Amino acid sequence: MRDILADLWPQYGLTIVTPHLQLRLPGGAELAELADLAGHGVDRPGERPFLTPWTDGTYTDRARFVLQEHWHQLASWNVAAWRLGMGVFRAGRPIGVVTLRARDFPVVRQVTTPAWLGIDHQGKGYWNGSEGRTAHPCFKIISAPPPH
């Protein structure tokens, strides 16, 4: 199924592998697991790490937000301004989402990488400033200036 999706929507063919993590678009059951993970929390009470307060509210609010963002990002893909919410997997299990996001990419050639991990997966060096963002050359390639 993934091959068929990748033929029709190439983003499904992208996989980024680090020593401990795999980043790729989630399948249906995996997306449901990510929504459940977010529903159970991605920040501690009183914290507000995101500009958009999507983590406020109920379990259902957070879980539904993850689903809506995933589908919206895929449906609104545009070469000049895009977002690709990739599942972050450890040992085959989803632990969070990293979004590769760019505006005016053909000109600016820069990508930002907002991310969240389920609360039980935080503080283990998987993302912020460590493996997820720096271990793989993909982020350097994506943000590199175009060749002359």
Side-chain angles (χ1 to χ4, degrees), residues 19 41 126-127:
Y126 296 143
W127 194 253

mmCIF file with all atom_site columns, all heavy atoms in Angstrom, residues 19 41 126-127:
data_model
loop_
_atom_site.group_PDB
_atom_site.id
_atom_site.type_symbol
_atom_site.label_atom_id
_atom_site.label_alt_id
_atom_site.label_comp_id
_atom_site.label_asym_id
_atom_site.label_entity_id
_atom_site.label_seq_id
_atom_site.pdbx_PDB_ins_code
_atom_site.Cartn_x
_atom_site.Cartn_y
_atom_site.Cartn_z
_atom_site.occupancy
_atom_site.B_iso_or_equiv
_atom_site.pdbx_formal_charge
_atom_site.auth_seq_id
_atom_site.auth_comp_id
_atom_site.auth_asym_id
_atom_site.auth_atom_id
_atom_site.pdbx_PDB_model_num
ATOM 1  N N   . PRO A 1 19  ? 20.260 6.828  14.052 1.00 0.00 ? 19  PRO A N   1
ATOM 2  C CA  . PRO A 1 19  ? 20.613 5.600  14.785 1.00 0.00 ? 19  PRO A CA  1
ATOM 3  C C   . PRO A 1 19  ? 19.473 5.015  15.630 1.00 0.00 ? 19  PRO A C   1
ATOM 4  O O   . PRO A 1 19  ? 19.410 3.801  15.810 1.00 0.00 ? 19  PRO A O   1
ATOM 5  C CB  . PRO A 1 19  ? 21.789 6.041  15.663 1.00 0.00 ? 19  PRO A CB  1
ATOM 6  C CG  . PRO A 1 19  ? 22.438 7.131  14.875 1.00 0.00 ? 19  PRO A CG  1
ATOM 7  C CD  . PRO A 1 19  ? 21.296 7.871  14.233 1.00 0.00 ? 19  PRO A CD  1
ATOM 8  N N   . GLY A 1 41  ? -1.248 13.866 26.247 1.00 0.00 ? 41  GLY A N   1
ATOM 9  C CA  . GLY A 1 41  ? -0.440 15.003 26.683 1.00 0.00 ? 41  GLY A CA  1
ATOM 10 C C   . GLY A 1 41  ? 0.926  15.074 26.038 1.00 0.00 ? 41  GLY A C   1
ATOM 11 O O   . GLY A 1 41  ? 1.576  14.058 25.827 1.00 0.00 ? 41  GLY A O   1
ATOM 12 N N   . TYR A 1 126 ? 15.823 12.411 22.237 1.00 0.00 ? 126 TYR A N   1
ATOM 13 C CA  . TYR A 1 126 ? 15.353 12.004 20.918 1.00 0.00 ? 126 TYR A CA  1
ATOM 14 C C   . TYR A 1 126 ? 15.167 13.183 19.974 1.00 0.00 ? 126 TYR A C   1
ATOM 15 O O   . TYR A 1 126 ? 15.224 13.028 18.783 1.00 0.00 ? 126 TYR A O   1
ATOM 16 C CB  . TYR A 1 126 ? 14.022 11.262 21.006 1.00 0.00 ? 126 TYR A CB  1
ATOM 17 C CG  . TYR A 1 126 ? 14.095 9.963  21.751 1.00 0.00 ? 126 TYR A CG  1
ATOM 18 C CD1 . TYR A 1 126 ? 13.046 9.565  22.554 1.00 0.00 ? 126 TYR A CD1 1
ATOM 19 C CD2 . TYR A 1 126 ? 15.191 9.124  21.649 1.00 0.00 ? 126 TYR A CD2 1
ATOM 20 C CE1 . TYR A 1 126 ? 13.078 8.369  23.234 1.00 0.00 ? 126 TYR A CE1 1
ATOM 21 C CE2 . TYR A 1 126 ? 15.240 7.934  22.328 1.00 0.00 ? 126 TYR A CE2 1
ATOM 22 C CZ  . TYR A 1 126 ? 14.177 7.559  23.126 1.00 0.00 ? 126 TYR A CZ  1
ATOM 23 O OH  . TYR A 1 126 ? 14.220 6.380  23.796 1.00 0.00 ? 126 TYR A OH  1
ATOM 24 N N   . TRP A 1 127 ? 14.882 14.355 20.528 1.00 0.00 ? 127 TRP A N   1
ATOM 25 C CA  . TRP A 1 127 ? 14.581 15.430 19.587 1.00 0.00 ? 127 TRP A CA  1
ATOM 26 C C   . TRP A 1 127 ? 15.312 16.724 19.858 1.00 0.00 ? 127 TRP A C   1
ATOM 27 O O   . TRP A 1 127 ? 16.188 17.111 19.121 1.00 0.00 ? 127 TRP A O   1
ATOM 28 C CB  . TRP A 1 127 ? 13.069 15.684 19.489 1.00 0.00 ? 127 TRP A CB  1
ATOM 29 C CG  . TRP A 1 127 ? 12.843 16.518 18.284 1.00 0.00 ? 127 TRP A CG  1
ATOM 30 C CD1 . TRP A 1 127 ? 12.504 17.830 18.227 1.00 0.00 ? 127 TRP A CD1 1
ATOM 31 C CD2 . TRP A 1 127 ? 13.071 16.125 16.936 1.00 0.00 ? 127 TRP A CD2 1
ATOM 32 N NE1 . TRP A 1 127 ? 12.491 18.271 16.933 1.00 0.00 ? 127 TRP A NE1 1
ATOM 33 C CE2 . TRP A 1 127 ? 12.825 17.243 16.124 1.00 0.00 ? 127 TRP A CE2 1
ATOM 34 C CE3 . TRP A 1 127 ? 13.456 14.935 16.335 1.00 0.00 ? 127 TRP A CE3 1
ATOM 35 C CZ2 . TRP A 1 127 ? 12.951 17.209 14.746 1.00 0.00 ? 127 TRP A CZ2 1
ATOM 36 C CZ3 . TRP A 1 127 ? 13.578 14.901 14.961 1.00 0.00 ? 127 TRP A CZ3 1
ATOM 37 C CH2 . TRP A 1 127 ? 13.318 16.028 14.191 1.00 0.00 ? 127 TRP A CH2 1
#
